[in-house]
mmCIF file with all atom_site columns, all heavy atoms in Angstrom:
data_model
loop_
_atom_site.group_PDB
_atom_site.id
_atom_site.type_symbol
_atom_site.label_atom_id
_atom_site.label_alt_id
_atom_site.label_comp_id
_atom_site.label_asym_id
_atom_site.label_entity_id
_atom_site.label_seq_id
_atom_site.pdbx_PDB_ins_code
_atom_site.Cartn_x
_atom_site.Cartn_y
_atom_site.Cartn_z
_atom_site.occupancy
_atom_site.B_iso_or_equiv
_atom_site.pdbx_formal_charge
_atom_site.auth_seq_id
_atom_site.auth_comp_id
_atom_site.auth_asym_id
_atom_site.auth_atom_id
_atom_site.pdbx_PDB_model_num
ATOM 1   N N   . LEU V 1 614 ? 15.279 -16.602 21.813 1.00 0.00 ? 614 LEU V N   1
ATOM 2   C CA  . LEU V 1 614 ? 14.431 -15.976 22.819 1.00 0.00 ? 614 LEU V CA  1
ATOM 3   C C   . LEU V 1 614 ? 13.073 -15.501 22.292 1.00 0.00 ? 614 LEU V C   1
ATOM 4   O O   . LEU V 1 614 ? 12.037 -15.773 22.911 1.00 0.00 ? 614 LEU V O   1
ATOM 5   C CB  . LEU V 1 614 ? 15.186 -14.803 23.460 1.00 0.00 ? 614 LEU V CB  1
ATOM 6   C CG  . LEU V 1 614 ? 14.424 -14.026 24.543 1.00 0.00 ? 614 LEU V CG  1
ATOM 7   C CD1 . LEU V 1 614 ? 14.169 -14.911 25.747 1.00 0.00 ? 614 LEU V CD1 1
ATOM 8   C CD2 . LEU V 1 614 ? 15.212 -12.775 24.948 1.00 0.00 ? 614 LEU V CD2 1
ATOM 9   N N   . PRO V 1 615 ? 13.002 -14.790 21.158 1.00 0.00 ? 615 PRO V N   1
ATOM 10  C CA  . PRO V 1 615 ? 11.690 -14.307 20.687 1.00 0.00 ? 615 PRO V CA  1
ATOM 11  C C   . PRO V 1 615 ? 10.685 -15.430 20.445 1.00 0.00 ? 615 PRO V C   1
ATOM 12  O O   . PRO V 1 615 ? 9.481  -15.253 20.690 1.00 0.00 ? 615 PRO V O   1
ATOM 13  C CB  . PRO V 1 615 ? 12.040 -13.579 19.383 1.00 0.00 ? 615 PRO V CB  1
ATOM 14  C CG  . PRO V 1 615 ? 13.467 -13.216 19.524 1.00 0.00 ? 615 PRO V CG  1
ATOM 15  C CD  . PRO V 1 615 ? 14.092 -14.328 20.294 1.00 0.00 ? 615 PRO V CD  1
ATOM 16  N N   . PHE V 1 616 ? 11.158 -16.574 19.960 1.00 0.00 ? 616 PHE V N   1
ATOM 17  C CA  . PHE V 1 616 ? 10.249 -17.682 19.681 1.00 0.00 ? 616 PHE V CA  1
ATOM 18  C C   . PHE V 1 616 ? 9.740  -18.326 20.967 1.00 0.00 ? 616 PHE V C   1
ATOM 19  O O   . PHE V 1 616 ? 8.667  -18.931 20.981 1.00 0.00 ? 616 PHE V O   1
ATOM 20  C CB  . PHE V 1 616 ? 10.952 -18.723 18.802 1.00 0.00 ? 616 PHE V CB  1
ATOM 21  C CG  . PHE V 1 616 ? 11.334 -18.191 17.457 1.00 0.00 ? 616 PHE V CG  1
ATOM 22  C CD1 . PHE V 1 616 ? 12.587 -17.638 17.232 1.00 0.00 ? 616 PHE V CD1 1
ATOM 23  C CD2 . PHE V 1 616 ? 10.422 -18.206 16.408 1.00 0.00 ? 616 PHE V CD2 1
ATOM 24  C CE1 . PHE V 1 616 ? 12.932 -17.129 15.996 1.00 0.00 ? 616 PHE V CE1 1
ATOM 25  C CE2 . PHE V 1 616 ? 10.755 -17.701 15.163 1.00 0.00 ? 616 PHE V CE2 1
ATOM 26  C CZ  . PHE V 1 616 ? 12.010 -17.156 14.958 1.00 0.00 ? 616 PHE V CZ  1
ATOM 27  N N   . ALA V 1 617 ? 10.496 -18.155 22.055 1.00 0.00 ? 617 ALA V N   1
ATOM 28  C CA  . ALA V 1 617 ? 10.081 -18.719 23.335 1.00 0.00 ? 617 ALA V CA  1
ATOM 29  C C   . ALA V 1 617 ? 8.961  -17.907 23.979 1.00 0.00 ? 617 ALA V C   1
ATOM 30  O O   . ALA V 1 617 ? 8.286  -18.404 24.885 1.00 0.00 ? 617 ALA V O   1
ATOM 31  C CB  . ALA V 1 617 ? 11.277 -18.794 24.279 1.00 0.00 ? 617 ALA V CB  1
ATOM 32  N N   . ILE V 1 618 ? 8.769  -16.672 23.523 1.00 0.00 ? 618 ILE V N   1
ATOM 33  C CA  . ILE V 1 618 ? 7.734  -15.834 24.143 1.00 0.00 ? 618 ILE V CA  1
ATOM 34  C C   . ILE V 1 618 ? 6.604  -15.517 23.171 1.00 0.00 ? 618 ILE V C   1
ATOM 35  O O   . ILE V 1 618 ? 5.880  -14.539 23.363 1.00 0.00 ? 618 ILE V O   1
ATOM 36  C CB  . ILE V 1 618 ? 8.345  -14.531 24.703 1.00 0.00 ? 618 ILE V CB  1
ATOM 37  C CG1 . ILE V 1 618 ? 9.074  -13.746 23.611 1.00 0.00 ? 618 ILE V CG1 1
ATOM 38  C CG2 . ILE V 1 618 ? 9.289  -14.828 25.845 1.00 0.00 ? 618 ILE V CG2 1
ATOM 39  C CD1 . ILE V 1 618 ? 9.620  -12.416 24.087 1.00 0.00 ? 618 ILE V CD1 1
ATOM 40  N N   . ILE V 1 619 ? 6.476  -16.327 22.113 1.00 0.00 ? 619 ILE V N   1
ATOM 41  C CA  . ILE V 1 619 ? 5.318  -16.160 21.223 1.00 0.00 ? 619 ILE V CA  1
ATOM 42  C C   . ILE V 1 619 ? 4.034  -16.355 22.013 1.00 0.00 ? 619 ILE V C   1
ATOM 43  O O   . ILE V 1 619 ? 3.081  -15.579 21.900 1.00 0.00 ? 619 ILE V O   1
ATOM 44  C CB  . ILE V 1 619 ? 5.396  -17.151 20.044 1.00 0.00 ? 619 ILE V CB  1
ATOM 45  C CG1 . ILE V 1 619 ? 6.478  -16.714 19.051 1.00 0.00 ? 619 ILE V CG1 1
ATOM 46  C CG2 . ILE V 1 619 ? 4.041  -17.242 19.334 1.00 0.00 ? 619 ILE V CG2 1
ATOM 47  C CD1 . ILE V 1 619 ? 6.668  -17.671 17.901 1.00 0.00 ? 619 ILE V CD1 1
ATOM 48  N N   . TYR V 1 620 ? 4.014  -17.423 22.790 1.00 0.00 ? 620 TYR V N   1
ATOM 49  C CA  . TYR V 1 620 ? 2.840  -17.666 23.637 1.00 0.00 ? 620 TYR V CA  1
ATOM 50  C C   . TYR V 1 620 ? 2.999  -16.842 24.911 1.00 0.00 ? 620 TYR V C   1
ATOM 51  O O   . TYR V 1 620 ? 3.971  -16.998 25.644 1.00 0.00 ? 620 TYR V O   1
ATOM 52  C CB  . TYR V 1 620 ? 2.711  -19.141 23.987 1.00 0.00 ? 620 TYR V CB  1
ATOM 53  C CG  . TYR V 1 620 ? 1.424  -19.471 24.703 1.00 0.00 ? 620 TYR V CG  1
ATOM 54  C CD1 . TYR V 1 620 ? 0.253  -19.699 23.980 1.00 0.00 ? 620 TYR V CD1 1
ATOM 55  C CD2 . TYR V 1 620 ? 1.374  -19.520 26.091 1.00 0.00 ? 620 TYR V CD2 1
ATOM 56  C CE1 . TYR V 1 620 ? -0.937 -19.987 24.626 1.00 0.00 ? 620 TYR V CE1 1
ATOM 57  C CE2 . TYR V 1 620 ? 0.187  -19.804 26.745 1.00 0.00 ? 620 TYR V CE2 1
ATOM 58  C CZ  . TYR V 1 620 ? -0.966 -20.039 26.010 1.00 0.00 ? 620 TYR V CZ  1
ATOM 59  O OH  . TYR V 1 620 ? -2.151 -20.308 26.657 1.00 0.00 ? 620 TYR V OH  1
ATOM 60  N N   . PRO V 1 621 ? 2.058  -15.930 25.204 1.00 0.00 ? 621 PRO V N   1
ATOM 61  C CA  . PRO V 1 621 ? 2.228  -15.009 26.324 1.00 0.00 ? 621 PRO V CA  1
ATOM 62  C C   . PRO V 1 621 ? 2.097  -15.706 27.682 1.00 0.00 ? 621 PRO V C   1
ATOM 63  O O   . PRO V 1 621 ? 1.145  -16.446 27.925 1.00 0.00 ? 621 PRO V O   1
ATOM 64  C CB  . PRO V 1 621 ? 1.095  -13.997 26.122 1.00 0.00 ? 621 PRO V CB  1
ATOM 65  C CG  . PRO V 1 621 ? 0.038  -14.751 25.378 1.00 0.00 ? 621 PRO V CG  1
ATOM 66  C CD  . PRO V 1 621 ? 0.789  -15.711 24.489 1.00 0.00 ? 621 PRO V CD  1
ATOM 67  N N   . SER V 1 622 ? 3.068  -15.495 28.512 1.00 0.00 ? 622 SER V N   1
ATOM 68  C CA  . SER V 1 622 ? 2.992  -15.968 29.902 1.00 0.00 ? 622 SER V CA  1
ATOM 69  C C   . SER V 1 622 ? 3.902  -15.095 30.733 1.00 0.00 ? 622 SER V C   1
ATOM 70  O O   . SER V 1 622 ? 4.913  -14.569 30.243 1.00 0.00 ? 622 SER V O   1
ATOM 71  C CB  . SER V 1 622 ? 3.419  -17.432 30.012 1.00 0.00 ? 622 SER V CB  1
ATOM 72  O OG  . SER V 1 622 ? 4.810  -17.571 29.827 1.00 0.00 ? 622 SER V OG  1
ATOM 73  N N   . LEU V 1 623 ? 3.558  -14.939 31.998 1.00 0.00 ? 623 LEU V N   1
ATOM 74  C CA  . LEU V 1 623 ? 4.339  -14.076 32.882 1.00 0.00 ? 623 LEU V CA  1
ATOM 75  C C   . LEU V 1 623 ? 5.757  -14.601 33.048 1.00 0.00 ? 623 LEU V C   1
ATOM 76  O O   . LEU V 1 623 ? 6.720  -13.834 33.040 1.00 0.00 ? 623 LEU V O   1
ATOM 77  C CB  . LEU V 1 623 ? 3.650  -13.972 34.252 1.00 0.00 ? 623 LEU V CB  1
ATOM 78  C CG  . LEU V 1 623 ? 4.311  -13.026 35.266 1.00 0.00 ? 623 LEU V CG  1
ATOM 79  C CD1 . LEU V 1 623 ? 4.367  -11.609 34.706 1.00 0.00 ? 623 LEU V CD1 1
ATOM 80  C CD2 . LEU V 1 623 ? 3.550  -13.059 36.592 1.00 0.00 ? 623 LEU V CD2 1
ATOM 81  N N   . LEU V 1 624 ? 5.898  -15.924 33.153 1.00 0.00 ? 624 LEU V N   1
ATOM 82  C CA  . LEU V 1 624 ? 7.216  -16.522 33.320 1.00 0.00 ? 624 LEU V CA  1
ATOM 83  C C   . LEU V 1 624 ? 8.100  -16.246 32.105 1.00 0.00 ? 624 LEU V C   1
ATOM 84  O O   . LEU V 1 624 ? 9.271  -15.883 32.241 1.00 0.00 ? 624 LEU V O   1
ATOM 85  C CB  . LEU V 1 624 ? 7.075  -18.034 33.540 1.00 0.00 ? 624 LEU V CB  1
ATOM 86  C CG  . LEU V 1 624 ? 8.393  -18.809 33.725 1.00 0.00 ? 624 LEU V CG  1
ATOM 87  C CD1 . LEU V 1 624 ? 9.129  -18.302 34.959 1.00 0.00 ? 624 LEU V CD1 1
ATOM 88  C CD2 . LEU V 1 624 ? 8.113  -20.310 33.825 1.00 0.00 ? 624 LEU V CD2 1
ATOM 89  N N   . ALA V 1 625 ? 7.529  -16.415 30.891 1.00 0.00 ? 625 ALA V N   1
ATOM 90  C CA  . ALA V 1 625 ? 8.296  -16.173 29.669 1.00 0.00 ? 625 ALA V CA  1
ATOM 91  C C   . ALA V 1 625 ? 8.691  -14.705 29.562 1.00 0.00 ? 625 ALA V C   1
ATOM 92  O O   . ALA V 1 625 ? 9.816  -14.379 29.151 1.00 0.00 ? 625 ALA V O   1
ATOM 93  C CB  . ALA V 1 625 ? 7.474  -16.594 28.451 1.00 0.00 ? 625 ALA V CB  1
ATOM 94  N N   . ASN V 1 626 ? 7.783  -13.820 29.929 1.00 0.00 ? 626 ASN V N   1
ATOM 95  C CA  . ASN V 1 626 ? 8.094  -12.394 29.876 1.00 0.00 ? 626 ASN V CA  1
ATOM 96  C C   . ASN V 1 626 ? 9.236  -12.039 30.825 1.00 0.00 ? 626 ASN V C   1
ATOM 97  O O   . ASN V 1 626 ? 10.157 -11.285 30.472 1.00 0.00 ? 626 ASN V O   1
ATOM 98  C CB  . ASN V 1 626 ? 6.855  -11.575 30.230 1.00 0.00 ? 626 ASN V CB  1
ATOM 99  C CG  . ASN V 1 626 ? 5.752  -11.718 29.193 1.00 0.00 ? 626 ASN V CG  1
ATOM 100 O OD1 . ASN V 1 626 ? 6.001  -12.176 28.085 1.00 0.00 ? 626 ASN V OD1 1
ATOM 101 N ND2 . ASN V 1 626 ? 4.541  -11.331 29.561 1.00 0.00 ? 626 ASN V ND2 1
ATOM 102 N N   . LEU V 1 627 ? 9.175  -12.555 32.059 1.00 0.00 ? 627 LEU V N   1
ATOM 103 C CA  . LEU V 1 627 ? 10.230 -12.292 33.035 1.00 0.00 ? 627 LEU V CA  1
ATOM 104 C C   . LEU V 1 627 ? 11.562 -12.859 32.559 1.00 0.00 ? 627 LEU V C   1
ATOM 105 O O   . LEU V 1 627 ? 12.619 -12.239 32.724 1.00 0.00 ? 627 LEU V O   1
ATOM 106 C CB  . LEU V 1 627 ? 9.848  -12.884 34.392 1.00 0.00 ? 627 LEU V CB  1
ATOM 107 C CG  . LEU V 1 627 ? 8.693  -12.197 35.126 1.00 0.00 ? 627 LEU V CG  1
ATOM 108 C CD1 . LEU V 1 627 ? 8.335  -12.971 36.399 1.00 0.00 ? 627 LEU V CD1 1
ATOM 109 C CD2 . LEU V 1 627 ? 9.046  -10.750 35.472 1.00 0.00 ? 627 LEU V CD2 1
ATOM 110 N N   . LEU V 1 628 ? 11.512 -14.050 31.950 1.00 0.00 ? 628 LEU V N   1
ATOM 111 C CA  . LEU V 1 628 ? 12.724 -14.666 31.429 1.00 0.00 ? 628 LEU V CA  1
ATOM 112 C C   . LEU V 1 628 ? 13.341 -13.809 30.330 1.00 0.00 ? 628 LEU V C   1
ATOM 113 O O   . LEU V 1 628 ? 14.568 -13.612 30.285 1.00 0.00 ? 628 LEU V O   1
ATOM 114 C CB  . LEU V 1 628 ? 12.407 -16.067 30.889 1.00 0.00 ? 628 LEU V CB  1
ATOM 115 C CG  . LEU V 1 628 ? 13.577 -16.819 30.245 1.00 0.00 ? 628 LEU V CG  1
ATOM 116 C CD1 . LEU V 1 628 ? 14.665 -17.086 31.283 1.00 0.00 ? 628 LEU V CD1 1
ATOM 117 C CD2 . LEU V 1 628 ? 13.094 -18.120 29.605 1.00 0.00 ? 628 LEU V CD2 1
ATOM 118 N N   . ALA V 1 629 ? 12.498 -13.290 29.434 1.00 0.00 ? 629 ALA V N   1
ATOM 119 C CA  . ALA V 1 629 ? 12.994 -12.456 28.338 1.00 0.00 ? 629 ALA V CA  1
ATOM 120 C C   . ALA V 1 629 ? 13.672 -11.204 28.869 1.00 0.00 ? 629 ALA V C   1
ATOM 121 O O   . ALA V 1 629 ? 14.771 -10.837 28.436 1.00 0.00 ? 629 ALA V O   1
ATOM 122 C CB  . ALA V 1 629 ? 11.838 -12.084 27.413 1.00 0.00 ? 629 ALA V CB  1
ATOM 123 N N   . VAL V 1 630 ? 13.024 -10.538 29.819 1.00 0.00 ? 630 VAL V N   1
ATOM 124 C CA  . VAL V 1 630 ? 13.599 -9.325  30.396 1.00 0.00 ? 630 VAL V CA  1
ATOM 125 C C   . VAL V 1 630 ? 14.920 -9.643  31.093 1.00 0.00 ? 630 VAL V C   1
ATOM 126 O O   . VAL V 1 630 ? 15.920 -8.914  30.946 1.00 0.00 ? 630 VAL V O   1
ATOM 127 C CB  . VAL V 1 630 ? 12.602 -8.674  31.379 1.00 0.00 ? 630 VAL V CB  1
ATOM 128 C CG1 . VAL V 1 630 ? 13.272 -7.508  32.103 1.00 0.00 ? 630 VAL V CG1 1
ATOM 129 C CG2 . VAL V 1 630 ? 11.362 -8.193  30.644 1.00 0.00 ? 630 VAL V CG2 1
ATOM 130 N N   . THR V 1 631 ? 14.924 -10.731 31.839 1.00 0.00 ? 631 THR V N   1
ATOM 131 C CA  . THR V 1 631 ? 16.129 -11.113 32.579 1.00 0.00 ? 631 THR V CA  1
ATOM 132 C C   . THR V 1 631 ? 17.302 -11.373 31.636 1.00 0.00 ? 631 THR V C   1
ATOM 133 O O   . THR V 1 631 ? 18.428 -10.904 31.854 1.00 0.00 ? 631 THR V O   1
ATOM 134 C CB  . THR V 1 631 ? 15.861 -12.366 33.426 1.00 0.00 ? 631 THR V CB  1
ATOM 135 O OG1 . THR V 1 631 ? 14.783 -12.103 34.334 1.00 0.00 ? 631 THR V OG1 1
ATOM 136 C CG2 . THR V 1 631 ? 17.106 -12.761 34.218 1.00 0.00 ? 631 THR V CG2 1
ATOM 137 N N   . VAL V 1 632 ? 17.052 -12.134 30.580 1.00 0.00 ? 632 VAL V N   1
ATOM 138 C CA  . VAL V 1 632 ? 18.113 -12.469 29.631 1.00 0.00 ? 632 VAL V CA  1
ATOM 139 C C   . VAL V 1 632 ? 18.678 -11.211 28.982 1.00 0.00 ? 632 VAL V C   1
ATOM 140 O O   . VAL V 1 632 ? 19.902 -11.035 28.872 1.00 0.00 ? 632 VAL V O   1
ATOM 141 C CB  . VAL V 1 632 ? 17.584 -13.444 28.562 1.00 0.00 ? 632 VAL V CB  1
ATOM 142 C CG1 . VAL V 1 632 ? 18.595 -13.574 27.420 1.00 0.00 ? 632 VAL V CG1 1
ATOM 143 C CG2 . VAL V 1 632 ? 17.310 -14.804 29.169 1.00 0.00 ? 632 VAL V CG2 1
ATOM 144 N N   . ILE V 1 633 ? 17.802 -10.330 28.533 1.00 0.00 ? 633 ILE V N   1
ATOM 145 C CA  . ILE V 1 633 ? 18.262 -9.111  27.859 1.00 0.00 ? 633 ILE V CA  1
ATOM 146 C C   . ILE V 1 633 ? 19.056 -8.231  28.823 1.00 0.00 ? 633 ILE V C   1
ATOM 147 O O   . ILE V 1 633 ? 20.104 -7.662  28.467 1.00 0.00 ? 633 ILE V O   1
ATOM 148 C CB  . ILE V 1 633 ? 17.069 -8.343  27.265 1.00 0.00 ? 633 ILE V CB  1
ATOM 149 C CG1 . ILE V 1 633 ? 16.466 -9.139  26.107 1.00 0.00 ? 633 ILE V CG1 1
ATOM 150 C CG2 . ILE V 1 633 ? 17.496 -6.960  26.781 1.00 0.00 ? 633 ILE V CG2 1
ATOM 151 C CD1 . ILE V 1 633 ? 15.222 -8.524  25.506 1.00 0.00 ? 633 ILE V CD1 1
ATOM 152 N N   . VAL V 1 634 ? 18.574 -8.111  30.062 1.00 0.00 ? 634 VAL V N   1
ATOM 153 C CA  . VAL V 1 634 ? 19.283 -7.308  31.056 1.00 0.00 ? 634 VAL V CA  1
ATOM 154 C C   . VAL V 1 634 ? 20.658 -7.909  31.356 1.00 0.00 ? 634 VAL V C   1
ATOM 155 O O   . VAL V 1 634 ? 21.662 -7.190  31.448 1.00 0.00 ? 634 VAL V O   1
ATOM 156 C CB  . VAL V 1 634 ? 18.448 -7.184  32.348 1.00 0.00 ? 634 VAL V CB  1
ATOM 157 C CG1 . VAL V 1 634 ? 19.291 -6.573  33.472 1.00 0.00 ? 634 VAL V CG1 1
ATOM 158 C CG2 . VAL V 1 634 ? 17.217 -6.329  32.104 1.00 0.00 ? 634 VAL V CG2 1
ATOM 159 N N   . VAL V 1 635 ? 20.727 -9.237  31.485 1.00 0.00 ? 635 VAL V N   1
ATOM 160 C CA  . VAL V 1 635 ? 22.001 -9.903  31.772 1.00 0.00 ? 635 VAL V CA  1
ATOM 161 C C   . VAL V 1 635 ? 22.999 -9.668  30.640 1.00 0.00 ? 635 VAL V C   1
ATOM 162 O O   . VAL V 1 635 ? 24.169 -9.319  30.877 1.00 0.00 ? 635 VAL V O   1
ATOM 163 C CB  . VAL V 1 635 ? 21.784 -11.418 32.003 1.00 0.00 ? 635 VAL V CB  1
ATOM 164 C CG1 . VAL V 1 635 ? 23.123 -12.158 32.003 1.00 0.00 ? 635 VAL V CG1 1
ATOM 165 C CG2 . VAL V 1 635 ? 21.053 -11.650 33.314 1.00 0.00 ? 635 VAL V CG2 1
#
Side-chain angles (χ1 to χ4, degrees):
L614 180 66
F616 297 92
I618 57 176
I619 287 177
Y620 188 84
S622 72
L623 184 59
L624 180 61
N626 294 344
L627 290 175
L628 177 63
V630 173
T631 301
V632 169
I633 292 176
V634 169
V635 168

